[in-house]
Amino acid sequence: MNSKHPDSFQAASTLISGDQRVHFFRLHALADEGINLDRLPFALRILLENLLRCEDNRTVTAEDIRFLAHWDPKAEASREIAFMPSRVLMQDFTGIPAIVDLAAMRDAMVALGGDPNKINPLQPAELVIDHSVQVDEYGTKNAYDINTALDFHRNRERYSFLKWGQSSFDNFSVVPSGMGICHQVNLEYLAGVVFTGTPDAEGNVTVYPDTLIGTDSHTTMINGLGVLGWGAGGIEAEAAMLGQPVSMLIPQVVGFRLTGKLKEGTTATDLVLTVTELLRKHGVVGKFVEFYGPSISELPVADRATIANMAPEYGATCGLFPVDAETLRYLRLTGRTDEQIALVEAYYREQGLFYTADTPEAEYSSVIALDLGSVVSSVAGPKRPQDRVALSATASSFEHQLPGLLGPNANRSSIRQILRWEGEGGHASLEGDVTHSLGAPIEPVSPRTSVRSRFGIDPEPYLHHGSIVIAAITSCTSTSNPYIMMAAGLLAKKAVEKGLKTPPWVKTSLAPGSRVVTDYYVKSGLMQYLDALRFHVVGYGCTVCIGNAGALLTDVSQAIEDHGLVAVSVLSGNRNFEGRISPEVRANYLMSPPLVVAYALAGHIGHNFDTDPIGPDQEGAPVFLKDIWPTQAEVSEVIASSINSSMFRKQYSTISDGDQNWQRLQFPVGQTYGWESGSTYIRKAPYFEGMPSQPAPVQDLQGARILASLGDSITTDHISPAGSIKPNGPAGKYLTDHGVKPADFNSYGSRRGNHEVMVRGTFANVRLRNKLTPDTEGGVTRLLPEGMFTTIYEASVAYAQRNTPLAILAGKEYGSGSSRDWAAKGPRLLGVRFVIAESYERIHRSNLVGMGILPLQFLPGQNAESLGLTGEEIYSVGTAPGQLRDLLDTQFTSGKTITIRTESQPGIFIEFPVTVRIDTPQEILYYQHGGILQYVLRQLAARP
């Protein structure tokens, strides 16, 4: 233990677990002062331990500890605390730009006369490459090999950069591509539940709860294991890696009481979609959610993790399940050591953090109750994960939603004569001639491109509104859950045995988040049935869920385009926002893996499983969903006989090795990175160029133009897409001009290490609707005052030449979705200086501040429409010089309201008040420095 630790509450103590003697900070030291810890939710007890351990009389004081210990459940979040996570978790789409920033900070440190080695993670930072592999090939036994070869062909430069980072930075490790999805790897392997610190000068080891922040919003999945963690922007994660605490307001905590038992035929996916719907309606943005009640002991960790995974979808910062006996059982199943499991139990029991049936009920800010027996089979869609629809009502719901989903050339489809697919004709899926090698280096093979060439069938007469063209078992949300994965395998088995087939136009895929999934599918004998329905393994990564669905077969694409069809994807993921899954698919539905298989067989989202057969069996008799749906007993039996801890130990013992592609990858060495001027993947981040050692005073924001006027539920996918790059857009033209062929464009997500691509892709989502350009979709706007239509990027260049600052108008839930720091970086590089919205999603608001963009919020009941704003006005923040600077310098002592003045015509003004959404004193410092990374760099440079 640090001898300089104030230890105001005499909390330092020792714990013996087996042969281990470790130090820890005892929560019961506060009980000795008369504080009732039992009334605190478990999540706040973990935060309280964090403050006790990190007390330093500077960022954490004894008064902070007392304040949290006396938490008022009904109080609005207003008191700031400094949270120091144990570690940082990243995936490659957000992690690579973070490492690019750190590399650029090393260069900037040298320019400021400092030591580049000051830029080093001070705590473990783990990056799992899972967002890059795409579904190019599918439905063949060679799909995995071909997709892996294409993955390394496209991303060799990115992966080489990560290998440099792993060799150059301390405390930074990489899990190579093809090993799994970061959140499933975290759940099954990385998370220790108890974290063991490095020995101090006397050799003493301190243990404490495993906590983390991640650069992916679904970091919350680990809450299912009792580990407190949540998603943050990459820039905030970088600051945490460099030793900066996470500044946060003490949250309200919503209790979610679970009773009863899931009915036969329902799954954890149905449960989480129900939970998401309930919590979105309740309103939990910026709050913690904690699950408790008599039925949590009935939920296996896999089900808990499925529920916790979707905390971003229900809007909460986290969705925590406490550590209990089921947690220990899961740790044993996944191959954790006996010593680690014993330490987890001993520590959590000693700290009063272990949940049992006798645990007193904590106090909560509000409580929601759910009887698990009331959950019904469900899907969510077609645009948002919180829009749950009962399976029995899905067909009618789609018909109701259809008019709002139609594209500009949809009317022609109404006169088409549609044929019904009965599985007639066709051929077995064509296979390549590449032997299955589990990652041996092979040359990229171009996948076959049309239904006609693969199956000998013209799909055009069969496709109409609602036709399913993508069916994906994907996402750690589902593939970490053996119950629903085995249910999918059993349903496939019964379907194959009855002679059912998948229509040839459905692009099927299976992308497990862990290689253990493949092991238990093979051991159970179920893999062959999934293969028979063309659900072959396409890769071990996020794939379709993140928008890496790959291209549709050409004749399917042509039919969609020719007839303006509203095509459908079904996936077992957590996100279904517009334009995310595929630019050609207008309706996307989330559902359990067995339902994905069922809908793939049906071929249409309008299929009514209650009344309509999926198809005929070999004898011509109708086969209904109920005929092939597995029972809970059948699923439990195959799990018991097919999954064991040795599978986890075997796969994770070599997870850092990667396949031969990774092992043979060459990389540069050195303290600083040798930037390549011709690179289209990795470019030096521009945020620190010419940065002085001290920040300039905050400047007035005057004479701004609106770059885009947007509506409600604008997601980070709208702001900074992750999917395909259009050849005729600004980003595509940039790549073409730099010698990159369209076939090698890769995705926006994979190009996040190059700001030149990303700034051109900002607001480039094909489904974006800008009110400045009504009746259009995509990244277009009008250059004002001329009114000329142009791309958002080209408009920003013109405004920059005029020295005109830019702003965004938006509605409710601006920035919802992924914790995507490029949704703040991109606008900043476009010249956006402030955003005015009705409300913000938590992470995105923080990211805006972290990039030096001012988030402003309309007062309740007001919005652009009610104020008569068209977006064509000139905007200024404040009505007097220095007003914004004074507000910040005085830390809002006079309030957080400032006036916006707009001028629509010379001398015609509208003024209205807005709230400045800089929410903590620490965020004031970040904004005054121009961003969080500039602040951290200056702090580190100033240290001796």
Side-chain angles (χ1 to χ4, degrees):
M1 188 190 76
N2 187 346
S3 60
K4 297 181 180 179
H5 193 289
D7 197 14
S8 299
F9 300 91
Q10 287 77 55
S13 187
T14 56
L15 174 71
I16 296 176
S17 174
D19 295 333
Q20 300 182 77
R21 181 184 181 89
V22 294
H23 289 253
F24 76 111
F25 283 81
R26 193 169 58 93
L27 281 170
H28 289 295
L30 295 168
D32 296 342
E33 293 201 359
I35 295 171
N36 179 12
L37 294 175
D38 289 342
R39 59 176 288 274
L40 289 179
F42 284 93
L44 295 190
R45 297 183 211 181
I46 294 172
L47 289 182
L48 190 57
E49 185 281 338
N50 198 277
L51 295 185
L52 275 175
R53 177 168 39 85
C54 297
E55 182 189 6
D56 60 1
N57 289 333
R58 184 173 56 86
T59 57
V60 179
T61 66
E63 182 54 33
D64 293 330
I65 297 168
R66 288 191 182 93
F67 189 91
L68 179 56
H70 290 285
W71 174 71
D72 178 1
K74 302 301 181 182
E76 292 294 328
S78 60
R79 177 65 175 259
E80 180 188 17
I81 58 171
F83 169 63
M84 183 61 73
S86 308
R87 56 193 176 95
V88 173
L89 178 69
M90 297 178 281
Q91 37 89 343
D92 53 301
F93 270 18
T94 51
I96 286 178
I99 304 305
V100 167
D101 288 349
L102 293 185
M105 288 177 77
R106 280 194 168 178
D107 288 355
M109 181 66 78
V110 172
L112 291 172
D115 180 1
N117 277 323
K118 287 183 177 180
I119 307 297
N120 251 319
L122 299 180
Q123 53 195 330
E126 297 147 330
L127 187 150
V128 180
I129 301 174
D130 62 5
H131 271 49
S132 294
V133 65
Q134 299 184 38
V135 186
D136 292 288
E137 178 68 329
Y138 74 98
T140 72
K141 68 180 181 181
N142 303 306
Y144 171 80
D145 283 328
I146 292 172
N147 292 331
T148 297
L150 289 169
D151 177 30
F152 274 85
H153 172 73
R154 292 172 176 137
N155 297 294
R156 183 174 303 277
E157 186 179 345
R158 297 170 67 237
Y159 297 166
S160 175
F161 173 73
L162 286 178
K163 291 190 82 170
W164 167 81
Q166 187 170 231
S167 69
S168 182
F169 291 110
D170 296 335
N171 295 319
F172 174 59
S173 60
V174 177
V175 173
S177 180
M179 297 297 107
I181 300 175
C182 67
H183 306 307
Q184 189 163 345
V185 172
N186 192 26
L187 184 74
E188 296 177 352
Y189 175 65
L190 295 175
V193 185
V194 163
F195 195 89
T196 303
T198 55
D200 62 16
E202 290 78 36
N204 298 316
V205 172
T206 299
V207 298
Y208 41 92
D210 183 8
T211 58
L212 71 155
I213 61 168
T215 61
D216 188 277
S217 53
H218 295 103
T219 300
T220 54
M221 182 167 169
I222 203 62
N223 299 164
L225 196 61
V227 174
L228 183 63
W230 56 83
I235 47 182
E236 190 174 14
E238 292 167 46
M241 281 190 276
L242 296 173
Q244 288 293 306
V246 176
S247 174
M248 62 179 293
L249 298 176
I250 297 174
Q252 290 190 337
V253 182
V254 175
F256 200 112
R257 190 171 191 271
L258 297 173
T259 60
K261 186 177 181 180
L262 288 174
K263 295 184 297 189
E264 189 74 54
T266 57
T267 68
T269 308
D270 304 316
L271 173 56
V272 72
L273 294 179
T274 303
V275 168
T276 299
E277 178 188 39
L278 290 172
L279 286 171
R280 268 292 173 184
K281 290 179 179 177
H282 186 78
V284 294
V285 173
K287 301 176 184 178
F288 284 10
V289 172
E290 185 166 292
F291 295 90
Y292 73 104
S295 290
I296 67 166
S297 60
E298 301 294 322
L299 285 178
V301 163
D303 285 3
R304 300 177 188 185
T306 297
I307 295 168
N309 177 282
M310 290 188 69
E313 282 64 51
Y314 44 82
T317 303
C318 65
L320 186 72
F321 286 83
V323 171
D324 64 358
E326 168 58 23
T327 311
L328 303 179
R329 189 202 67 80
Y330 183 82
L331 293 175
R332 292 189 187 94
L333 171 67
T334 49
R336 268 68 166 206
T337 66
D338 291 340
E339 292 78 11
Q340 180 68 15
I341 297 168
L343 181 60
V344 169
E345 182 171 10
Y347 178 83
Y348 274 78
R349 287 189 183 278
E350 176 66 26
Q351 290 281 58
L353 295 171
F354 196 87
Y355 186 87
T356 69
D358 299 325
T359 298
E361 185 171 315
E363 296 179 16
Y364 295 103
S365 304
S366 59
V367 171
I368 298 177
L370 176 65
D371 177 2
L372 301 183
S374 68
V375 173
V376 299
S377 294
S378 302
V379 304
K383 294 182 180 180
R384 301 189 306 175
Q386 63 262 40
D387 295 333
R388 185 188 66 85
V389 183
L391 179 63
S392 59
T394 301
S396 59
S397 173
F398 174 75
E399 289 300 319
H400 176 73
Q401 297 270 5
L402 182 59
L405 297 170
L406 294 172
N409 60 333
N411 291 336
R412 286 175 288 164
S413 65
S414 61
I415 60 175
R416 298 179 64 226
Q417 180 179 359
I418 306 301
L419 299 182
R420 177 177 171 81
W421 171 256
E422 295 290 356
E424 70 272 22
H427 306 284
S429 65
L430 299 175
E431 314 255 0
D433 55 3
V434 184
T435 57
H436 189 63
S437 61
L438 285 178
I442 58 175
E443 290 299 313
V445 178
S446 297
R448 292 175 174 83
T449 59
S450 70
V451 174
R452 188 183 291 274
S453 66
R454 290 184 65 150
F455 300 99
I457 291 173
D458 179 8
E460 195 269 349
Y462 300 98
L463 294 172
H464 50 118
H465 293 318
S467 289
I468 293 169
V469 296
I470 294 174
I473 300 175
T474 178
S475 174
C476 52
T477 312
S478 296
T479 68
S480 62
N481 193 317
Y483 183 94
I484 53 180
M485 293 297 285
M486 287 298 201
L490 286 169
L491 188 144
K493 178 177 184 291
K494 294 184 178 187
V496 170
E497 290 172 345
K498 289 186 176 291
L500 299 180
K501 297 179 180 179
T502 308
W505 57 82
V506 182
K507 186 171 186 177
T508 47
S509 60
L510 167 62
S514 162
R515 287 179 174 267
V516 175
V517 176
T518 310
D519 287 349
Y520 66 61
Y521 267 153
V522 171
K523 184 175 176 61
S524 65
L526 296 177
M527 182 64 85
Q528 60 181 312
Y529 300 105
L530 288 162
D531 288 349
L533 297 180
R534 300 202 308 277
F535 281 93
H536 294 77
V537 172
V538 296
Y540 296 91
C542 300
T543 61
V544 175
C545 189
I546 188 56
N548 288 351
L552 297 178
L553 297 183
T554 53
D555 39 9
V556 174
S557 294
Q558 194 63 53
I560 293 171
E561 174 64 24
D562 288 347
H563 304 290
L565 299 181
V566 177
V568 174
S569 76
V570 295
L571 64 150
S572 62
N574 46 42
R575 292 272 165 83
N576 58 343
F577 300 129
E578 289 182 291
R580 179 183 177 94
I581 305 305
S582 167
E584 298 175 283
V585 176
R586 289 181 171 269
N588 307 286
Y589 287 86
L590 307 180
M591 58 190 64
S592 66
L595 278 181
V596 169
V597 178
Y599 269 111
L601 293 168
H604 196 278
I605 198 66
H607 189 90
N608 189 323
F609 288 110
D610 290 338
T611 60
D612 301 334
I614 298 174
D617 65 12
Q618 297 95 328
E619 309 301 322
V623 179
F624 292 85
L625 179 61
K626 64 182 180 181
D627 301 324
I628 59 175
W629 192 271
T631 66
Q632 292 177 352
E634 289 173 328
V635 175
S636 297
E637 181 180 353
V638 73
I639 287 175
S641 63
S642 305
I643 302 179
N644 56 63
S645 60
S646 64
M647 292 177 173
F648 294 89
R649 286 193 292 268
K650 172 178 173 288
Q651 290 295 349
Y652 285 111
S653 65
T654 58
I655 191 170
S656 298
D657 298 344
D659 62 16
Q660 293 181 50
N661 296 288
W662 178 263
Q663 292 166 13
R664 296 180 181 183
L665 191 62
Q666 300 298 307
F667 61 95
V669 295
Q671 285 185 334
T672 56
Y673 187 68
W675 309 98
E676 298 180 17
S677 60
S679 174
T680 59
Y681 273 110
I682 304 296
R683 297 293 296 272
K684 183 178 177 180
Y687 317 118
F688 315 108
E689 293 177 359
M691 190 190 83
S693 58
Q694 295 297 323
V698 171
Q699 299 296 305
D700 292 329
L701 300 175
Q702 305 289 321
R705 284 290 186 179
I706 299 299
L707 186 61
S709 178
L710 308 170
D712 295 338
S713 299
I714 295 299
T715 71
T716 53
D717 282 288
H718 287 113
I719 304 168
S720 182
S724 58
I725 300 172
K726 293 175 64 176
N728 60 347
K733 292 177 181 177
Y734 168 87
L735 290 172
T736 300
D737 290 346
H738 284 75
V740 181
K741 299 177 181 179
D744 295 324
F745 277 4
N746 212 332
S747 64
Y748 278 114
S750 67
R751 297 279 180 180
R752 286 182 186 160
N754 182 345
H755 61 277
E756 297 287 2
V757 173
M758 296 308 297
V759 69
R760 289 165 171 79
T762 302
F763 294 112
N765 187 298
V766 295
R767 298 289 176 259
L768 185 76
R769 296 175 183 87
N770 182 358
K771 296 176 185 179
L772 288 175
T773 55
D775 302 321
T776 63
E777 289 183 326
V780 293
T781 191
R782 281 191 295 136
L783 180 67
L784 300 171
E786 300 91 327
M788 180 180 69
F789 280 73
T790 185
T791 67
I792 284 178
Y793 171 72
E794 288 162 344
S796 76
V797 173
Y799 284 127
Q801 291 170 347
R802 303 171 185 179
N803 293 317
T804 301
L806 300 176
I808 301 292
L809 288 179
K812 301 181 182 70
E813 298 178 350
Y814 183 71
S816 57
S818 301
S819 56
R820 191 165 297 171
D821 56 344
W822 264 108
K825 287 178 175 178
R828 187 68 177 90
L829 292 179
L830 287 175
V832 172
R833 302 298 304 279
F834 60 95
V835 178
I836 311 174
E838 289 184 66
S839 64
Y840 295 88
E841 201 76 349
R842 174 186 62 86
I843 299 173
H844 185 63
R845 185 209 59 79
S846 175
N847 281 344
L848 290 175
V849 177
M851 283 307 300
I853 296 176
L854 184 67
L856 303 171
Q857 188 162 315
F858 290 107
L859 297 188
Q862 294 187 345
N863 55 36
E865 285 72 26
S866 70
L867 293 166
L869 304 176
T870 66
E872 298 183 20
E873 306 86 355
I874 297 172
Y875 287 69
S876 296
V877 178
T879 56
Q883 192 172 15
L884 176 61
R885 181 178 67 247
D886 292 343
L887 276 178
L888 298 173
D889 288 347
T890 59
Q891 297 200 342
F892 301 119
T893 53
S894 60
K896 297 182 67 175
T897 300
I898 196 168
T899 298
I900 300 294
R901 168 178 274 199
T902 70
E903 184 177 10
S904 56
Q905 296 180 34
I908 300 178
F909 299 98
I910 296 177
E911 294 185 355
F912 58 94
V914 294
T915 301
V916 180
R917 286 299 312 278
I918 294 179
D919 288 356
T920 70
Q922 193 69 29
E923 285 187 343
I924 293 175
L925 289 174
Y926 297 158
Y927 185 80
Q928 289 172 328
H929 278 258
I932 188 172
L933 297 183
Q934 291 86 341
Y935 170 81
V936 172
L937 181 58
R938 289 186 176 109
Q939 299 303 302
L940 291 174
R943 292 180 184 175

